[in-house]
Amino acid sequence: MFTIGCHLSASGGFLAMGQTALQLGANTFQFFTRNPRGSKAKAIDPQDVATFLALAQAHGFGTLLAHAPYTVNPCSKDEHTREFARMTLSDDLQRMEYLPGNLYNFHPGSHTGQGVEAGIAQIADTLNEILRPDQHTTVLLETMSGKGTEVGSRFEELREILDRVTLSDHMGVCLDTCHVSDAGYDIAGDPDGVLTAFDRVVGLDRLKAVHINDSMHPTGAHKDRHARIGTGYLGTEAFARIINHPALRHLPFLLETPNELPGYAAEIALLKALRTA
Ligand code: FE
Ligand code: FE
Ligand code: ZN
């Protein structure tokens, strides 16, 4: 099964997202658990979730990806920001229990001058506080572009975080194609080499989802500006290789390209045409 979708607005609830996904030709989607720049979470409506789950089952949806707000930074030098990250991640994971078996992705954080090692330690400390043995959600570290003081642009940094998390069975990684390219990994030109490096350092069994974005900047630029598929430095042929790669093709692919819904529908159609049987 080709599991393909895009980022959708969560403002109308889960059934609305499911219906929109179907209209776009998608069989999964990503959503923010709350306003990406704010803090207040809307209460979950169990009836909305139940109706959505029936729709998702009827239409063979794949794994969903929830995304934490951008304001979550577990390795800020500011203690209040770290406390907000703990509260938000913990609260989001409780709400995710309404949708058992799905994925929750967050940006590992920006160390804001404390240094990468201190950042890694604080990220792992936060995860050790919020993960629960009986949770039904896998928490993903997103591969980052390395802009500013971002932690998680090197595979070694992700590995170090995972090594320090006690309940690491509940942890995985989401590979963002724009971010890894911006971080300096030539995912377009040498996907085999990049995925071999990922396997050696992190382990391909940790890889649970792919953010499929072209990049407005060349490899190593550390900019994090997403482009529509085929309009950036990665190019359409690279995405044909990525979505069909034996190490990736079983994973859910989520678009986060600068698009309105018709643009997403066109990209999903393009990727489906590029997918081999
Ligand atoms: Fe992200
Ligand atoms: Fe992403
Ligand atoms: Zn990004």
Side-chain angles (χ1 to χ4, degrees), residues 110-111 146-150 222:
S110 295
H111 66 69
K147 70 175 185 291
T149 62
E150 277 175 353
H222 304 295

Side-chain angles (χ1 to χ4, degrees), residues 30 67 70 105-107 142 144 176 179 211 226 256:
Q30 173 174 274
H67 197 303
Y70 295 141
N105 174 67
F106 77 107
H107 296 178
E142 182 166 353
M144 300 311 292
D176 185 311
H179 296 178
H211 280 166
H226 301 189
E256 303 175 305

Side-chain angles (χ1 to χ4, degrees), residues 16 20 23 56 69 90 150 156 170 202 219 226 268:
T20 301
Q23 284 163 12
S90 179
E150 277 175 353
E156 288 78 5
H170 294 306
V202 180
T219 300
H226 301 189
I268 290 166

Side-chain angles (χ1 to χ4, degrees), residues 42-260:
K42 221 171 80 174
I44 295 261
D45 172 359
Q47 185 56 51
D48 173 49
V49 171
T51 318
F52 162 70
L53 288 174
L55 179 92
Q57 168 119 45
H59 292 273
F61 272 47
T63 309
L64 306 180
L65 190 48
H67 197 303
Y70 295 141
T71 44
V72 161
N73 183 5
C75 62
S76 169
K77 64 176 184 238
D78 173 40
E79 163 58 22
H80 292 106
T81 303
R82 296 201 301 277
E83 171 62 19
F84 170 78
R86 284 193 292 273
M87 275 175 37
T88 301
L89 294 171
S90 179
D91 183 57
D92 279 358
L93 282 182
Q94 281 182 39
R95 292 143 47 78
M96 285 297 291
E97 289 295 304
Y98 283 96
L99 294 155
N102 290 297
L103 304 167
Y104 178 71
N105 174 67
F106 77 107
H107 296 178
S110 295
H111 66 69
T112 60
Q114 303 185 98
V116 174
E117 284 306 315
I120 286 169
Q122 289 178 340
I123 294 161
D125 286 350
T126 293
L127 288 165
N128 282 326
E129 285 182 50
I130 59 135
L131 293 175
R132 297 283 170 258
D134 56 349
Q135 70 179 57
H136 299 89
T137 301
T138 300
V139 176
L140 306 185
L141 305 168
E142 182 166 353
T143 62
M144 300 311 292
S145 69
K147 70 175 185 291
T149 62
E150 277 175 353
V151 178
S153 65
R154 307 299 308 165
F155 297 157
E156 288 78 5
E157 295 168 12
L158 300 173
R159 171 60 191 264
E160 262 200 80
I161 297 167
L162 293 170
D163 278 347
R164 291 174 190 229
V165 174
T166 309
L167 296 174
S168 75
D169 285 359
H170 294 306
M171 295 292 304
V173 172
C174 173
L175 185 141
D176 185 311
T177 55
C178 168
H179 296 178
V180 283
S181 172
D182 275 30
Y185 297 102
D186 187 10
I187 189 76
D190 182 20
D192 286 345
V194 173
L195 292 169
T196 300
F198 184 92
D199 192 31
R200 182 169 33 79
V201 177
V202 180
L204 279 169
D205 56 325
R206 289 282 188 188
L207 199 50
K208 303 298 182 192
V210 178
H211 280 166
I212 184 159
N213 306 307
D214 213 327
S215 176
M216 286 172 59
H217 294 279
T219 300
H222 304 295
K223 294 284 193 195
D224 190 3
R225 293 287 303 280
H226 301 189
R228 294 181 186 184
I229 300 302
T231 71
Y233 277 84
L234 274 60
T236 307
E237 278 175 40
F239 289 105
R241 286 191 291 273
I242 287 165
I243 61 171
N244 292 304
H245 197 284
L248 305 177
R249 59 181 286 129
H250 62 289
L251 297 172
F253 292 90
L254 284 309
L255 291 155
E256 303 175 305
T257 46
N259 261 320
E260 302 297 327

